């Protein structure tokens, strides 16, 4: 009898086409779920008959309480090599091996610039107006050349965002709690003296930090109040880095010119969530990692992880499980 593998949150029904699953086809039945299971009860019921699970990023938590309700589960694969919503100790107790995949920083860099440019040139407003027979030109775009781009974080993604900003002729500065003069010199940008200085002097602020106890709520109402009324905020990192209520208040009050976000504290975003109707907001449904090449990596490595597990030699193990 074949083992059963569940692929979660396959919204585009792309998982089986993105990679070659034939290396495990004789031993594994793959079932893709294009719908999202929002509660632990829904997940436990849906996954009760599965031996293997492939989950995308950190959208679906696997706490100990859920793992205890999945006695058949033996292999859990998460895209990427870091996942904060899996209880690794519980996985080990329940005999569940946890593996990851590679992930490219290119797609989120590209989406960051798609969002930033969309904000700067009013692309959604103008495109919707053109299609609806509305006014011919109703916005005046913001220039990038000569403007200041402030980056919160200068890691793999932040440094590549910086390179594009420099190519546009922007002044680029960066800040994070451990950022050094040596690191900013390597990238060719300026070191902001503080988070407050970066926020108050930037025309565009883009977030590229990992979520941790230190970065959760890093931008609240006092920090957003430091931003210029003409400034824009872009977040393709993690929603919880920005106080969502404070951001909504700033957007409604017009104390910042606009924001673009690709990440939300609850995903998928509920139909009645205020982020769906907030003014001055360009929002996308967590597309930062969604690209053909990245999906080929995610699911291709998932197949490799399954094959290695079946052969008794798991690869890309996470959390020591």
């Amino acid at each position: 009898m074949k083992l059963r593998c569940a692929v979660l949150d396959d919204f585009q029904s792309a998982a089986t086409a993105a990679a070659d699953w034939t290396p495990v086809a004789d031993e594994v039945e793959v079932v893709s779920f294009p719908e999202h299971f929002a509660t632990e009860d829904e997940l436990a019921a849906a996954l009760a008959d599965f031996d293997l699970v492939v989950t995308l990023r950190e959208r679906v938590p696997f706490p100990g309480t859920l793992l205890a309700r999945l006695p058949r589960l033996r292999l859990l694969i998460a895209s990427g090599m870091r996942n904060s919503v899996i209880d690794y100790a519980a996985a080990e107790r329940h005999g569940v091996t946890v593996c990851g995949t590679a992930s490219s920083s290119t797609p989120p860099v590209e989406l960051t610039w798609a969002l930033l440019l969309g904000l700067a040139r009013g692309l959604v407003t103008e495109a919707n107006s053109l299609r609806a027979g509305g006014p011919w030109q109703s916005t005046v775009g913001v220039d990038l050349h000569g403007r200041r781009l402030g980056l919160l974080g200068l890691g793999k993604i932040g440094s590549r965002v910086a390179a594009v900003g420099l190519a546009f002729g922007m002044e680029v500065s960066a800040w994070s709690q451990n950022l050094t003069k040596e690191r900013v010199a390597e990238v060719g940008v300026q070191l902001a003296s503080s988070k407050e200085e970066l926020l108050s002097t930037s025309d565009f602020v883009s977030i590229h930090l990992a979520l941790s106890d230190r970065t959760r709520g890093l931008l609240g109402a006092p920090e957003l109040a430091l931003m210029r009324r003409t400034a824009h905020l872009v977040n393709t990192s993690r929603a919880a880095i920005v106080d969502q209520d404070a951001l909504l208040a700033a957007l409604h009050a017009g104390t910042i010119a606009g924001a673009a976000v690709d990440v939300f504290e609850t995903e998928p975003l509920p139909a009645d969530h205020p982020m769906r109707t907030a003014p001055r907001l360009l929002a996308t449904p967590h597309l930062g990692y969604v690209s053909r090449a990245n999906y080929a990596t995610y699911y291709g490595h998932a197949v490799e992880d399954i094959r290695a597990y079946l052969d008794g030699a798991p690869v890309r193990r996470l959390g020591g499980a």
Side-chain angles (χ1 to χ4, degrees):
M1 181 179 296
K2 288 185 176 183
L3 299 176
R4 303 192 76 216
C5 175
V7 179
L8 298 179
D9 288 344
D10 187 14
F11 299 128
Q12 304 94 345
S13 297
T16 55
D20 179 10
W21 291 77
T22 56
V24 299
D26 290 341
E27 299 168 72
V28 176
E29 174 193 1
V30 179
V31 179
S32 166
F33 289 99
E35 70 274 25
H36 177 71
F37 300 112
T39 69
E40 184 175 305
D41 286 344
E42 291 174 342
L43 274 166
L47 300 179
D49 296 327
F50 286 90
D51 310 277
L52 322 170
V53 171
V54 178
T55 182
L56 274 178
R57 306 306 293 160
E58 296 173 313
R59 183 177 294 114
V60 179
F62 279 85
T65 51
L66 175 60
L67 292 166
R69 299 169 69 179
L70 301 175
R72 280 189 56 169
L73 183 62
R74 288 294 172 263
L75 176 64
L76 175 60
I77 300 170
S79 58
M81 290 300 294
R82 179 173 56 191
N83 194 298
S84 64
V85 298
I86 296 173
D87 186 333
Y88 295 111
E92 187 170 14
R93 287 196 306 271
H94 292 287
V96 179
T97 299
V98 184
C99 297
T101 75
S103 182
S104 172
S105 61
T106 298
V109 171
E110 294 175 351
L111 184 74
T112 295
W113 279 102
L115 292 175
L116 196 152
L117 287 165
L119 281 177
R121 302 303 294 268
L123 293 186
V124 174
T125 298
E126 296 290 3
N128 287 344
S129 179
L130 187 147
R131 292 175 67 87
W136 184 262
Q137 299 183 3
S138 61
T139 64
V140 178
V142 177
D143 299 280
L144 300 187
H145 185 87
R147 297 299 180 107
R148 180 176 289 267
L149 171 63
L151 300 176
L152 290 168
L154 199 64
K156 286 192 300 183
I157 294 175
S159 60
R160 296 180 68 178
V161 171
V164 177
L166 292 170
F168 272 120
M170 302 183 78
E171 297 179 7
V172 182
S173 64
W175 177 89
S176 68
Q177 289 170 321
N178 295 321
L179 191 59
T180 65
K181 293 180 179 179
E182 291 75 19
R183 174 58 181 164
V184 295
E186 289 175 4
V187 181
V189 304
Q190 302 172 36
L191 176 63
S193 61
S194 65
K195 173 181 64 176
E196 290 75 17
E197 190 261 336
L198 181 137
L199 292 170
S200 63
T201 60
S202 297
D203 299 294
F204 295 89
V205 175
S206 191
I207 301 171
H208 304 287
L209 295 166
L211 181 62
S212 68
D213 290 340
R214 291 194 307 175
T215 61
R216 187 178 298 274
L218 186 72
L219 299 189
E223 289 78 19
L224 293 173
L226 294 172
M227 293 180 62
R228 299 170 174 175
R229 295 184 70 90
T230 55
H232 296 81
L233 176 69
V234 180
N235 187 6
T236 57
S237 183
R238 290 291 183 270
I241 294 172
V242 182
D243 182 309
Q244 299 297 282
D245 291 337
L247 177 58
L248 283 167
L251 291 170
H252 280 281
T255 54
I256 61 174
V261 298
D262 185 50
V263 286
F264 307 90
E265 290 187 327
T266 301
E267 297 184 5
L269 200 63
D272 60 350
H273 197 284
M275 280 287 187
R276 289 186 180 268
T277 55
R280 304 178 181 88
L281 178 67
L282 172 56
T284 49
H286 204 154
L287 299 177
Y289 64 90
V290 180
S291 74
R292 292 182 180 180
N294 227 18
Y295 269 25
T297 297
Y298 286 171
Y299 294 116
H301 281 189
V303 174
E304 293 178 7
D305 290 348
I306 294 170
R307 183 67 266 164
Y309 174 80
L310 295 175
D311 293 339
V315 295
R316 289 186 284 267
R317 298 184 69 166
L318 301 180

